[in-house]
Amino acid sequence: MNQTRDGKKDLLWLFLFLVVFINGFEAGGYQASLYSIGQTYDLSITNMGLFAAVELLATMLAPLILGNWADKSDKLKCILILQVIQAAFACVIFISSIQMLFVVGIFFLGMTTSALQFIAIAALAESYPLTGKKKIGIMTSMYALGALVSPLFVDFYLKRGISWRMFFLTLSLGTVITLVGIVANRDSTGEVNSLADDEKVGDGEFIILGVLLLCVVMCIYVGFENGFAFFVDTLFTDVLKSSLGKYALSLFWAVMIPSRVLVGYFSAHAKKILITSVIAIPVITVIIAQMNSAAVVLALCIPLGFACGAIYPSVLTTLLQFSGKRKATATAMITVSTGIGGVVFTALTGILAGAMGITGAMMCLAAFFILSIIAVLSLHTR
């Protein structure tokens, strides 16, 4: 139970969780909608990759543009401003049928979700010094939960003839609900930090090499995750001739939830978990690329998602050993690297898929994990 300074009931953490849940909902829903969006705008598979990359470009720019603003401002106020922008542009996409407005709207959705992600994590850590680590582990699971639910939601209404635009209306409504919750609880005082100085962690020096190596891991991981997630429905539809694509995407995200929770409990072994994950992901991907059975590929999404889910919390835990007192800077660097990975690898997946097919593109993505393996083995944790 949370220990607050004034003894009042504290629900701020719940709505910060919901901020990240909405982010995951947006990511998974856009991924699940991409094929239908491509049909609406008559996009080739290469252009679908570029459409996906627009949002990911914004996620890369957000920490560069907004990080300093968030550090110098009230983080909850920043979150509220970004939520207003997020809800507004989701409505624009829902209402408009103009392709350029869709692109602009997706860009701003990418920017706001990225900024909300790292600002919410920082706000949680500041408000809850006693239980922050455990809550952050659960928070990453909330992102996966949102990404799990949204493809099922998209599949439900698409099968009933409802336009993919319904997703963006739902996103806007969810954002407004979360905004109201934060306004109602923004005066929550959080926990009293009763930890002794020697119990605090991550207050050493800032080790740039360690942070950069973790950035490499996250760049490649997020690039792969987005490349796979955006095109897995296309893999099932065009290659495997199956309608199981959206279920595969949801399953992929579903297993990330227990994976991230378990990583939180075994955080002392974060480096070993990282090594196992960056080896398992390319191996499973190559196997998937060789399969012609939709049922087998669906089953393989379970270990693939489990391995992918372990990387994010493991990187965040390991980052504490290298960030010192510059945690915001280190987190911003990680966020930028995820944006770079998302932009480059998602666009690359679309280009490679157009040239050599989806399975060939996925095998190429898997090959980049050689760099991740080298990066993790080069980490000298304390």
Side-chain angles (χ1 to χ4, degrees):
M1 183 177 294
N2 296 328
Q3 179 187 354
T4 60
R5 295 185 181 91
D6 55 10
K8 294 181 180 179
K9 190 174 183 180
D10 175 19
L11 293 177
L12 177 62
W13 60 271
L14 175 61
F15 290 100
L16 290 175
F17 279 12
L18 287 176
V19 169
V20 179
F21 174 85
I22 292 293
N23 283 1
F25 186 86
E26 190 275 338
Y30 184 36
Q31 290 164 357
S33 302
L34 185 60
Y35 188 81
S36 298
I37 293 169
Q39 290 180 318
T40 298
Y41 292 113
D42 194 25
L43 302 177
S44 67
I45 191 168
T46 298
N47 286 333
M48 286 168 62
L50 295 176
F51 256 53
V54 167
E55 181 189 35
L56 298 170
L57 173 64
T59 68
M60 176 186 67
L61 294 176
L64 297 175
I65 297 174
L66 303 174
N68 189 54
W69 166 65
D71 279 338
K72 294 181 178 180
S73 307
D74 182 321
K75 290 180 176 58
L76 293 181
K77 182 179 180 180
C78 294
I79 289 173
L80 294 175
I81 293 172
L82 291 167
Q83 286 183 310
V84 170
I85 297 172
Q86 184 180 60
F89 278 100
C91 280
V92 167
I93 294 176
F94 171 72
I95 295 170
S96 175
S97 59
I98 301 173
Q99 182 172 320
M100 183 53 66
L101 282 179
F102 175 88
V103 174
V104 172
I106 283 297
F107 179 85
F108 277 96
L109 284 183
M111 179 166 286
T112 52
T113 54
S114 174
L116 284 168
Q117 187 90 353
F118 74 82
I119 296 173
I121 290 173
L124 190 76
E126 289 182 0
S127 299
Y128 302 94
L130 298 180
T131 61
K133 281 188 176 181
K134 181 180 291 186
K135 282 185 168 67
I136 287 175
I138 299 173
M139 180 179 271
T140 61
S141 297
M142 293 300 295
Y143 184 93
L145 180 61
L148 156 67
V149 171
S150 52
L152 298 176
F153 175 68
V154 170
D155 184 64
F156 174 81
Y157 67 71
L158 285 179
K159 285 183 176 179
R160 285 156 179 78
I162 302 174
S163 170
W164 53 263
R165 298 180 191 280
M166 178 57 66
F167 165 73
F168 292 95
L169 176 62
T170 306
L171 174 65
S172 180
L173 293 175
T175 300
V176 170
I177 291 171
T178 307
L179 185 153
V180 172
I182 291 178
V183 169
N185 291 275
R186 64 180 303 184
D187 293 327
S188 173
T189 54
E191 297 172 334
V192 178
N193 189 355
S194 59
L195 292 178
D197 290 338
D198 59 357
E199 292 178 280
K200 299 176 183 178
V201 296
D203 288 336
E205 62 178 317
F206 179 80
I207 304 175
I208 184 66
L209 179 59
V211 175
L212 288 175
L213 288 171
L214 290 171
C215 284
V216 170
V217 175
M218 283 299 293
C219 177
I220 294 172
Y221 155 64
V222 171
F224 170 85
E225 179 188 272
N226 281 279
F228 180 83
F230 272 114
F231 290 98
V232 66
D233 193 24
T234 304
L235 171 68
F236 274 84
T237 302
D238 292 349
V239 179
L240 300 174
K241 308 301 180 184
S242 169
S243 61
L244 295 175
K246 292 178 178 61
Y247 295 101
L249 181 59
S250 287
L251 191 60
F252 175 74
W253 284 107
V255 293
M256 289 193 190
I257 299 171
S259 173
R260 289 177 173 176
V261 172
L262 285 173
V263 168
Y265 282 103
F266 295 99
S267 58
H269 306 287
K271 183 176 178 180
K272 293 179 181 178
I273 294 171
L274 273 177
I275 293 173
T276 302
S277 297
V278 296
I279 292 174
I281 291 170
V283 171
I284 297 169
T285 303
V286 170
I287 295 173
I288 286 176
Q290 307 303 313
M291 296 293 105
N292 55 16
S293 168
V296 173
V297 174
L298 182 69
L300 287 171
C301 286
I302 296 174
L304 182 63
F306 200 87
C308 286
I311 289 184
Y312 191 25
S314 294
V315 166
L316 290 179
T317 300
T318 306
L319 188 67
L320 293 176
Q321 302 183 39
F322 300 101
S323 58
K325 296 182 179 180
R326 299 173 62 186
K327 294 178 181 62
T329 299
T331 304
M333 290 171 66
I334 290 290
T335 306
V336 171
S337 69
T338 62
I340 293 173
V343 171
V344 173
F345 287 97
T346 303
L348 181 63
T349 304
I351 294 171
L352 291 174
M356 61 179 65
I358 289 290
T359 55
M362 288 184 175
M363 290 182 68
C364 288
L365 285 182
F368 282 96
F369 274 91
I370 294 173
L371 297 177
S372 292
I373 295 171
I374 294 172
V376 176
L377 292 175
S378 300
L379 286 171
H380 298 291
T381 55
R382 291 170 287 175

